[in-house]
Amino acid sequence: MIRRGLFCCFVVMMAAIRQQAQPPPQETAAHVAKAARLMEDRLFAEAGAEFELALAEDPNNAPVRLEYGACLFAQGRNDEARQQFETVRDR
């Protein structure tokens, strides 16, 4: 039940953030693109490392932070995922 609520919160926040999103810097975009490919291949730990690199370059990028939260959620790292979602919510 908690997982479902966390996921629903993520989906709503992601939709709202995507409407306001601006294009990320080029290197951030490269990390995010690589992370997306890794997520498609279900290589979540490797994708997480790419999201971390993207966030190191652009820590205020809410869409990237939400994608990272989804990546953490996919790994069962719910507390860490919640922290990422809450960081976006609180900004």
Side-chain angles (χ1 to χ4, degrees):
M1 188 66 157
I2 292 173
R3 286 180 60 116
R4 184 177 304 172
L6 184 61
F7 182 72
C8 290
C9 177
F10 163 74
V11 169
V12 170
M13 289 175 59
M14 192 66 181
I17 295 300
R18 283 190 177 181
Q19 291 177 354
Q20 302 172 8
Q22 295 183 10
Q26 187 173 355
E27 291 199 18
T28 301
H31 289 301
V32 172
K34 185 173 181 181
R37 287 190 303 273
L38 291 165
M39 291 275 290
E40 288 176 6
D41 292 338
R42 303 185 59 80
L43 299 171
F44 301 119
E46 294 86 346
E50 290 297 322
F51 283 125
E52 289 171 3
L53 290 170
L55 288 169
E57 293 172 5
D58 189 6
N60 295 319
N61 190 316
V64 173
R65 192 165 294 282
L66 289 173
E67 293 287 346
Y68 180 45
C71 179
L72 293 168
F73 184 77
Q75 296 176 68
R77 296 166 60 186
N78 298 340
D79 291 337
E80 294 169 87
R82 179 178 296 125
Q83 183 180 15
Q84 296 303 315
F85 300 149
E86 289 174 351
T87 297
V88 172
R89 181 197 66 198
D90 295 341
R91 288 192 178 165

